[in-house]
C-alpha cells in the first residue's frame, strides 16, 4: 500500500513539473564544434529524461550479462545445498530408525552435495557404523582431526570406537586429548575418570576430579564423596608401607565423608598405634553414629594399647550406646564380653535379637557362648544348625559380588564407591537340590567336628565352626575366592569331609559296606528334638531324619 501511494505521488510530481515547464515556454540554443542546436526547454527536458532512462537500461543489461555466470552458479549452488540438506535430514532420520540402506544412500548424496559440511562427515561415519564398517568409520573420524571445527567430534568418535574394540589405552589417549582441547567436554572428563578408576590410577583420578569440579561437571557433595573414596583407596594401599601418608589421607577422607567406614577404620587404627587414643576415639565415634560397622567396633576396642579384655568391654559398651537400635551394637558388646569371659552379659546382649533379628553371626556367637561357658555340645550344634539357615549378615557387596573387605571400585563394572555394607541379595540357584546339599554338607561337617574330639579345646572348635559359617552362608557364585563347591544333590551325598583344627584327623562319612558311599540326610536340630543328627536312608525311600 505504501509503495502504491509513493508511486502515485511520484507520478503526480512529474506531471506537475511537466505542466509547469509547458506553461513557461522558452528556447535553448547551443553551438559546439560547428553544430548549431536550437530547441525548446520542454523538449530538452524530455530528451534528457529519455536519455537517462536508456542509459540505466543499457547499464542493467550489460551488468546482468557480465554477472550471469555467477548468477547461474548461485542457482546451482542453492539447488545443490537444498539437496544436501534434504539428504542430511533424511539420513539422520534413517540412522535413528536403523535403516541401513536409506542411511547409506543419504550419506552418498550428502557427500556429493555438501562434501565439506561437518554433518556430512558425521552422517557418513555413523552410516558406516550402522553397517558394521568400523574401518571406514575410524578413517572418517581420523580425517575430522585435521579440521579445528570437527576435531572434537572426531575425538569422540575415535574414543567410542576404541571402547567398542576394548582398546583401553587408545580410549584413554583420546579422552586426555579431548580434555586438553576443551576441558568443558563432560563426556571426556567422565570417561577419563572412569578409566583411571578401573586402572587404579588414584592420583590421576584425583586430578580429573578436580577438572570436573572446576568446570562444573559435578556438584560439590558428590565431588567430596568421590575424593574421599579415592583418598581412602590410597590410604588402604599404603597403610603398611607408609603409615604416615596413609594416616594423613585417611584423616582427610574422613573429614570429607564422615560415614565412610574404611577411612575411619584406617585412621582409628593408625592413630591408636601412635598412642593418640582421644583423637582415634573421636573419629571412630563420629563414624559409628552414622554407619555402625564391626571394623569400627574392633578398632575402638583396641584403641588403647595394653587394655585388658574387661577394659575393652567397657569401651565397647560406650560405643554401642551411641547407636542402640543398630544390630551391630549388641553384636559388638557380645564379642567383647566373650573375650572378657562375661558370658552372661554376652547372652543378655544377644537375646533381644534372637526372636526377630537373628542372623548367622548371632547364632554363631550363641554357639560360642554355650560352648565356652557350659561345654554343651548339643546346644552348640543346635545353634550352628540354626546359623546355616539363618538370614545372612550385612557384607561388603557390589554388583552381586560379596567381598571380605571394602574395595574402592567394583570388580565387575569398575564403578567407584560401588561397595555398600548391606545384606547381600540371595541369588537364585540353578539347581535347588544342589543348594540344599551345600547346606547339608556344611551342617554335617559342623556336627562331626563337635563329636570328633572331646579333648580338643572348646574355643578352637567353636572358632573353626564360626569360620565355616561365612562361606556356607554366601552363594558360591558370589565368592570367586572360594574353592568350587562339590557337585552334590540332596538325594545323593556321596561323602562329606572337613578339615579339622591343627593336628586332628579328617573324618569321613562312609556307607554301610566299607568304602561304598551311602545317602545321608542331615536335619537341622530343632530345640525340641535334641537327638536329630545324622541318619541313613534307603535309596528307594524318601529322606527322613533319624534319631541317634
Amino acid at each position: 500500500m505504501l509503495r502504491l501511494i509513493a508511486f502515485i505521488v511520484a507520478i503526480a510530481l512529474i506531471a506537475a513539473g511537466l505542466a509547469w515547464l509547458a506553461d513557461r515556454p522558452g528556447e535553448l540554443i547551443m553551438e559546439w564544434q560547428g553544430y548549431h542546436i536550437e530547441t525548446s526547454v520542454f523538449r530538452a527536458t524530455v530528451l534528457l529524461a529519455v536519455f537517462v532512462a536508456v542509459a540505466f537500461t543499457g547499464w542493467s543489461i550489460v551488468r546482468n550479462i557480465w554477472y550471469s555466470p555467477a548468477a547461474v552458479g548461485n542457482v546451482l549452488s542453492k539447488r545443490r545445498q537444498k539437496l544436501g540438506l534434504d539428504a542430511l535430514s533424511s539420513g539422520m532420520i534413517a540412522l535413528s530408525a536403523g535403516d541401513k540402506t536409506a542411511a547409506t544412500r543419504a550419506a552418498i548424496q550428502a557427500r556429493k552435495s555438501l562434501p565439506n559440511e561437518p554433518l556430512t562427515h558425521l552422517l557418513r561415519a555413523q552410516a558406516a557404523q550402522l553397517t558394521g564398517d568400523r574401518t571406514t568409520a575410524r578413517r572418517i573420524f581420523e580425517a575430522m582431526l585435521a579440521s579445528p571445527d570437527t576435531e572434537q567430534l572426531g575425538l569422540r568418535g575415535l574414543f567410542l570406537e576404541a571402547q567398542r574394540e576394548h582398546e583401553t589405552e587408545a580410549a584413554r589417549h583420546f579422552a586426555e586429548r579431548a580434555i586438553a582441547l576443551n576441558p568443558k567436554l563432560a563426556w571426556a572428563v567422565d570417561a577419563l575418570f572412569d578409566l583411571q578408576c578401573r586402572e587404579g590410577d588414584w592420583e590421576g583420578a584425583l586430578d580429573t576430579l578436580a577438572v570436573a569440579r572446576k568446570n562444573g561437571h559435578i556438584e560439590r557433595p558428590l565431588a567430596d564423596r568421590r575424593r574421599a573414596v579415592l583418598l581412602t583407596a590410597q590410604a588402604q594401599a599404603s597403610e603398611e608401607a607408609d603409615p604416615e601418608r596413609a594416616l594423613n589421607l585417611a584423616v582427610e577422607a574422613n573429614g570429607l565423608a564422615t560415614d565412610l567406614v574404611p577411612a575411619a577404620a584406617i585412621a582409628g587404627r593408625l592413630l591408636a598405634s601412635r598412642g593418640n587414643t582421644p583423637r582415634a576415639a573421636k573419629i571412630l565415634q563420629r563414624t559409628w553414629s552414622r554407619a555402625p560397622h564391626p571394623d569400627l567396633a574392633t578398632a575402638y576396642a583396641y584403641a588403647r594399647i595394653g587394655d585388658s579384655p574387661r577394659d575393652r568391654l567397657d569401651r565397647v559398651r560406650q560405643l554401642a550406646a551411641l547407636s542402640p537400635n543398630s544390630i551391630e551394637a549388641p553384636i559388638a558388646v557380645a564379642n567383647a564380653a566373650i573375650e572378657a569371659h562375661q558370658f552372661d552379659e554376652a547372652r543378655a546382649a544377644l537375646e533381644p535379637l534372637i526372636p526377630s533379628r537373628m542372623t548367622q553371626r548371632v547364632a554363631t556367637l550363641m554357639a560360642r557362648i554355650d560352648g565356652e561357658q557350659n561345654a554343651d555340645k548339643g546346644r552348640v550344634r543346635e545353634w550352628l544348625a540354626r546359623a546355616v539357615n539363618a538370614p545372612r549378615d550385612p557384607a561388603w557387596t557390589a554388583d552381586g559380588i560379596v567381598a571380605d573387605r571394602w574395595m574402592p571400585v567394583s570388580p565387575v563394572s569398575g564403578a567407584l564407591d560401588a561397595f555398600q555394607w548391606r545384606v547381600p541379595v540371595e541369588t537364585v540357584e540353578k539347581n535347588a537340590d544342589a543348594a540344599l546339599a551345600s547346606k547339608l554338607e556344611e551342617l554335617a561337617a559342623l556336627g562331626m567336628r563337635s563329636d570328633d574330639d572331646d579333648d580338643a579345646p572348646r574355643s578352637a572348635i567353636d572358632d573353626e565352626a564360626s569360620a565355616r559359617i561365612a562361606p556356607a552362608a554366601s552363594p558360591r557364585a558370589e565368592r570367586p575366592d572360594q574353592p568350587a563347591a562339590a557337585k552334590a544333590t540332596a538325594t545323593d551325598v556321596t561323602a562329606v569331609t572337613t578339615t579339622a583344627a591343627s593336628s586332628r584327623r579328617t573324618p569321613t562319612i562312609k556307607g554301610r559296606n566299607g568304602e561304598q558311599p551311602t545317602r545321608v540326610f542331615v536335619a537341622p536340630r530343632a530345640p525340641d528334638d535334641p537327638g536329630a543328627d545324622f541318619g541313613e536312608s534307603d535309596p528307594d525311600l524318601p529322606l527322613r531324619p533319624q534319631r541317634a
Side-chain angles (χ1 to χ4, degrees):
M1 186 65 181
L2 294 177
R3 290 184 179 180
L4 179 60
I5 295 173
F7 178 75
I8 293 173
V9 171
I11 294 298
L13 291 175
I14 293 174
L18 292 176
W20 184 81
L21 287 175
D23 292 339
R24 291 167 175 80
E27 293 183 354
L28 289 177
I29 300 172
M30 182 176 63
E31 291 184 359
W32 182 68
Q33 295 291 326
Y35 294 97
H36 181 80
I37 301 172
E38 183 177 347
T39 183
S40 64
V41 176
F42 180 80
R43 182 183 298 175
T45 302
V46 172
L47 290 174
L48 179 61
V50 171
F51 176 78
V52 171
V54 171
F56 272 105
T57 303
W59 171 251
S60 298
I61 293 173
V62 173
R63 184 175 179 274
N64 289 333
I65 294 173
W66 180 265
Y67 288 105
S68 59
V72 173
N74 289 335
V75 172
L76 295 178
S77 177
K78 289 181 180 179
R79 182 175 178 274
R80 186 168 57 251
Q81 186 176 13
K82 182 178 182 304
L83 291 175
L85 293 176
D86 292 342
L88 288 175
S89 178
S90 60
M92 292 300 176
I93 294 174
L95 285 175
S96 301
D99 190 346
K100 300 179 182 179
T101 304
T104 304
R105 184 168 55 251
I108 295 173
Q109 180 60 46
R111 185 181 183 185
K112 291 180 180 179
S113 302
L114 300 173
N116 299 321
E117 181 68 28
L119 285 178
T120 301
H121 301 316
L122 178 61
L123 176 60
R124 291 177 56 211
Q126 291 188 347
Q129 290 176 333
L130 187 62
T131 57
D133 190 358
R134 303 291 183 190
T135 303
T136 301
R138 181 171 296 185
R139 178 173 53 81
I140 295 172
F141 286 129
E142 289 175 352
M144 292 182 184
L145 300 181
S147 174
D149 296 335
T150 58
E151 186 175 4
Q152 297 180 19
L153 181 60
L155 288 172
R156 178 167 174 77
L158 291 173
F159 170 79
L160 294 176
E161 286 298 316
Q163 274 197 326
R164 290 190 182 97
E165 298 295 332
H166 303 289
E167 298 175 358
T168 306
E169 289 298 328
R172 178 168 179 170
H173 168 72
F174 293 130
E176 290 175 346
R177 183 173 172 181
I179 293 177
L181 181 65
N182 184 7
K184 294 185 179 298
L185 294 175
W187 71 265
V189 176
D190 294 340
L192 181 60
F193 182 78
D194 291 340
L195 290 173
Q196 289 169 335
C197 291
R198 288 173 181 268
E199 298 172 0
D201 183 7
W202 312 128
E203 288 290 347
L206 285 171
D207 295 338
T208 305
L209 182 63
V211 174
R213 181 71 186 94
K214 179 180 179 181
N215 291 276
H217 300 314
I218 187 174
E219 298 296 332
R220 182 173 181 177
L222 182 57
D224 290 344
R225 175 72 183 187
R226 288 184 175 181
R227 179 174 176 81
V229 174
L230 294 173
L231 293 175
T232 304
Q234 290 181 308
Q236 188 180 63
S238 59
E239 183 176 0
E240 296 182 1
D242 191 354
E244 181 69 26
R245 180 171 181 267
L247 176 59
N248 295 331
L249 293 171
V251 170
E252 182 181 354
N254 180 257
L256 293 172
T258 56
D259 60 339
L260 189 58
V261 172
I266 294 173
R269 288 195 299 266
L270 294 176
L271 287 171
S273 66
R274 295 169 176 267
N276 195 346
T277 303
R279 189 179 179 189
K282 182 179 179 180
I283 291 176
L284 293 171
Q285 288 175 352
R286 183 173 58 178
T287 304
W288 173 273
S289 62
R290 291 168 173 79
H293 192 275
D295 291 349
L296 300 178
T298 302
Y300 193 82
Y302 290 88
R304 182 182 291 112
I305 300 175
D307 277 357
S308 65
R310 291 181 180 272
D311 294 333
R312 291 196 294 268
L313 176 59
D314 293 336
R315 294 180 59 81
V316 173
R317 287 198 199 103
Q318 299 174 5
L319 184 67
L322 299 177
S323 57
N325 296 325
S326 172
I327 191 175
E328 299 295 341
I331 290 178
V333 172
N335 273 312
I338 291 174
E339 292 180 1
H341 295 283
Q342 301 293 319
F343 300 109
D344 292 336
E345 182 175 352
R347 191 186 305 274
L350 295 177
E351 282 180 350
L353 304 177
I354 294 176
S356 59
R357 303 174 67 185
M358 187 180 72
T359 63
Q360 294 170 351
R361 275 192 298 166
V362 174
T364 305
L365 288 173
M366 290 298 295
R368 184 180 176 187
I369 293 171
D370 283 328
E372 295 189 17
Q373 182 181 23
N374 304 320
D376 190 343
K377 293 188 296 182
R379 293 290 293 175
V380 170
R381 292 161 64 186
E382 174 189 336
W383 284 114
L384 294 178
R386 296 177 69 177
V388 172
N389 294 307
R392 303 178 67 180
D393 290 281
W396 289 116
T397 62
D399 299 322
I401 297 295
V402 179
D404 294 331
R405 56 181 296 185
W406 176 86
M407 291 186 289
V409 297
S410 168
V412 177
S413 62
L416 183 71
D417 196 22
F419 276 92
Q420 298 181 4
W421 181 256
R422 62 184 178 184
V423 178
V425 178
E426 294 286 353
T427 58
V428 179
E429 298 285 351
K430 295 182 179 179
N431 190 339
D433 291 339
L436 178 59
S438 175
K439 288 190 175 184
L440 295 179
E441 176 187 353
E442 298 295 338
L443 182 57
L446 293 174
M448 291 198 65
R449 185 181 294 107
S450 298
D451 288 337
D452 183 51
D453 193 354
D454 293 339
D455 296 332
R458 178 65 52 184
S459 59
I461 296 176
D462 294 333
D463 291 343
E464 185 181 358
S466 301
R468 289 184 58 87
I469 291 301
S474 301
R476 298 292 194 247
E478 294 180 350
R479 298 296 299 273
D481 58 327
Q482 296 294 332
K487 296 182 179 179
T489 64
T491 58
D492 189 13
V493 180
T494 58
V496 180
T497 60
T498 183
T499 303
S502 63
S503 61
R504 296 189 301 176
R505 62 184 177 86
T506 302
T508 303
I509 300 179
K510 302 179 181 179
R512 293 190 183 95
N513 300 322
E515 297 294 333
Q516 297 297 324
T518 184
R519 299 187 180 191
V520 179
F521 175 73
V522 183
R525 182 190 301 275
D528 57 347
D529 187 15
D533 185 11
F534 295 95
E536 298 177 348
S537 64
D538 189 84
D540 299 327
L541 295 178
L543 297 175
R544 298 178 181 276
Q546 303 294 328
R547 293 186 178 274

